[in-house]
């Protein structure tokens, strides 16, 4: 590895140590490896449905890093694999949820795949209608304000969801009451098959924040340090009574919308091929080498270690027991006791 001046290292300038950045990189690689493993399991008939995080990992890890697990709160969405792992979910937890096993920490096998939640990690369960989690995050922030503690809520959604009515209700209420909440829009340019220009008038989600009375920030979702810096600012503002922030992270969606979709039907071959150039992981790996934190051999060894960990996690997840069909109605109706 090359020597680098500690005073000029970009990650030091935003307050991250070498160990911090390498840990974030490992988390990003793990989220990608989990996602790729689940696609293989879906194709093998073991998982019913996958909705991918590929292309969003850097934005999720960067923005969520400043938050405090077990103190702050998260209301995720269906692509929040890396974000949920930032709050404590493991590769095995994520895969176990997709296999709908009895001891899945998200729901005990009762939720759809991609509906992450974990009470032990302050991760609220996802509701299936898109956008509802944003209202829930505002409720979490309102609860923190009522209790008088300094907990912050963070929520994630796509730019397609940004056009739902719940988003206006949530942001307006949060702006009026200056609630400690961070709204993160992961803009990948498509709402399933509908391109950005057919979804968002004016082309910017972040610009809407000024109408609600709080800052809106555009950030390159493939730039780990920019995402982290945006997260630090938003968290500090929320924690100290400054109110909400809307972060619009521009990312790429490297896969189809889900395993039930085929993006080649609405993206031409040139666009699909060009997606590889926008993959944030090779870009981050190049940055780490430039900053003197990694060389090609160390990167290769790290990727192999992460892959082995995920393969082992998947094997353990498959060995978990299935739910008992006779208790399918547990927690659905009052038991009378």
């Amino acid at each position: 590895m090359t020597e680098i001046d500690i005073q000029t290292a970009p990650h030091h300038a935003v307050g991250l140590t070498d160990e911090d950045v390498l840990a974030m990189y490992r988390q990003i690689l793990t989220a990608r490896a989990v996602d790729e493993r689940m696609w293989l399991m879906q194709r093998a008939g073991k998982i019913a449905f996958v909705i991918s995080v590929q292309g969003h990992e850097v934005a999720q890890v960067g923005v969520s890093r400043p938050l405090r697990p077990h103190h702050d709160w998260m209301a995720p969405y269906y692509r929040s694999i890396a974000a949920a792992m930032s709050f404590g979910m493991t590769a095995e937890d994520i895969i176990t949820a997709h296999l709908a096993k009895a001891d899945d920490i998200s729901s005990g096998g009762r939720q759809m795949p991609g509906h992450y939640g974990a009470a032990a990690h302050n991760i609220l369960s996802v509701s299936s209608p898109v956008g509802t989690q944003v209202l829930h995050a505002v409720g979490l922030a309102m609860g923190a304000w009522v209790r008088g503690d300094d907990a912050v809520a963070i929520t994630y959604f796509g730019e397609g969801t940004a056009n739902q009515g719940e988003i206006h209700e949530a942001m307006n209420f949060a702006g009026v009451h200056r609630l400690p909440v961070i709204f993160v829009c992961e803009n990948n340019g498509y709402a399933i098959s509908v391109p950005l220009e057919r979804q968002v008038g004016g082309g910017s989600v972040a610009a809407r924040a000024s109408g609600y009375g709080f800052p809106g920030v555009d950030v390159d979702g493939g730039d780990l340090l920019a995402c982290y810096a945006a997260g630090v600012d938003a968290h500090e503002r929320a924690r100290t009574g400054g109110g909400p922030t809307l972060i619009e992270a521009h990312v790429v969606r490297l896969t189809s919308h889900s395993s039930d979709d085929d993006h080649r039907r609405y993206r031409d071959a040139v666009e699909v091929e060009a997606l590889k150039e926008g993959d944030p992981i090779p870009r981050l790996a190049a940055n780490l080498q430039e900053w003197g934190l990694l060389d090609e051999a160390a990167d290769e060894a790290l990727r192999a270690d992460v892959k082995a960990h995920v393969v082992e996690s998947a094997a353990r997840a498959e060995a978990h027991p299935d739910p008992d069909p006779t208790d399918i109605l547990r927690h659905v109706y009052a038991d009378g006791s």
Side-chain angles (χ1 to χ4, degrees):
M1 297 182 204
T2 57
E3 294 292 332
I4 190 166
D5 183 349
I6 193 170
Q7 299 301 323
T8 61
H11 55 292
H12 295 152
V14 297
L16 290 170
T17 65
D18 296 354
E19 291 75 19
D20 290 335
V21 177
L22 289 173
M24 293 164 81
Y25 182 53
R26 184 183 183 92
Q27 189 176 35
I28 289 163
L29 291 178
T30 303
R32 174 67 62 89
V34 166
D35 196 285
E36 291 175 342
R37 192 71 189 171
M38 292 197 303
W39 277 88
L40 290 174
M41 297 173 77
Q42 194 273 337
R43 294 299 191 249
K46 298 178 178 178
I47 287 176
F49 180 72
V50 174
I51 195 155
S52 185
V53 72
Q54 292 186 39
H56 294 224
E57 302 96 332
V58 166
Q60 291 186 12
V61 171
V63 172
S64 65
R65 179 77 179 187
L67 277 85
R68 301 157 294 181
H70 306 293
H71 184 77
D72 295 323
W73 292 81
M74 177 182 294
Y77 83 134
Y78 46 60
R79 297 197 194 281
S80 295
I81 292 174
M85 294 177 77
S86 292
F87 261 46
M89 289 187 72
T90 66
E92 186 173 340
D93 291 337
I94 297 289
I95 298 171
T96 301
H98 281 75
L99 290 167
K101 294 294 187 177
D103 50 1
D104 149 40
I105 66 171
S106 292
S107 69
R110 297 164 192 275
Q111 270 274 32
M112 286 181 62
H115 285 49
Y116 308 108
H121 301 303
N122 284 10
I123 301 174
L124 203 69
S125 181
V126 175
S127 293
S128 296
V130 294
T132 51
Q133 77 277 9
V134 181
L135 289 166
H136 300 159
V138 171
L140 290 167
M142 185 76 174
W145 177 76
V146 169
R147 291 192 303 273
D149 65 33
D150 70 346
V152 173
I154 188 168
T155 186
Y156 300 85
F157 53 94
E159 87 287 347
T161 298
N163 309 310
Q164 299 287 333
E166 290 95 333
I167 304 298
H168 167 71
E169 297 171 32
M171 292 190 183
N172 188 59
F173 190 86
V176 167
H177 297 285
R178 300 179 67 79
L179 296 177
V181 57
I182 304 170
F183 302 103
V184 183
C185 174
E186 295 175 20
N187 181 352
N188 63 29
Y190 278 93
I192 306 183
S193 60
V194 181
L196 181 71
E197 61 270 20
R198 300 290 298 276
Q199 318 167 38
V200 179
S204 171
V205 176
R208 299 176 184 173
S210 63
Y212 300 117
F214 53 81
V217 180
D218 266 310
V219 66
D220 177 354
D223 184 333
L224 180 66
L225 303 188
C227 290
Y228 174 75
V232 168
D233 288 346
H235 185 260
E236 182 68 8
R237 181 176 299 109
R239 188 184 62 79
T240 58
T245 303
L246 169 59
I247 298 172
E248 181 179 3
H250 297 271
V251 297
V252 292
R253 195 186 80 194
L254 296 174
T255 67
S256 298
H257 172 72
S258 73
S259 55
D260 287 353
D261 176 42
D262 182 356
H263 63 171
R264 294 171 299 180
R265 299 185 65 179
Y266 51 85
R267 283 172 150 171
D268 62 36
V270 173
E271 182 180 351
V272 171
E273 183 63 23
L275 289 173
K276 298 176 184 175
E277 297 177 7
D279 187 339
I281 290 183
R283 174 181 170 186
L284 178 56
N287 288 153
L288 295 175
Q289 292 186 34
E290 179 186 340
W291 302 338
L293 301 180
L294 203 64
D295 59 22
E296 289 187 7
D299 191 21
E300 187 175 337
L302 176 58
R303 289 171 185 257
D305 186 53
V306 166
K307 182 177 180 180
H309 167 68
V310 170
V311 169
E312 291 167 4
S313 298
R316 288 196 301 272
E318 287 193 73
H320 286 221
D322 292 321
D324 183 345
T326 63
D327 68 9
I328 192 171
L329 297 181
R330 182 180 297 167
H331 307 309
V332 176
Y333 301 108
D335 61 12
S337 61

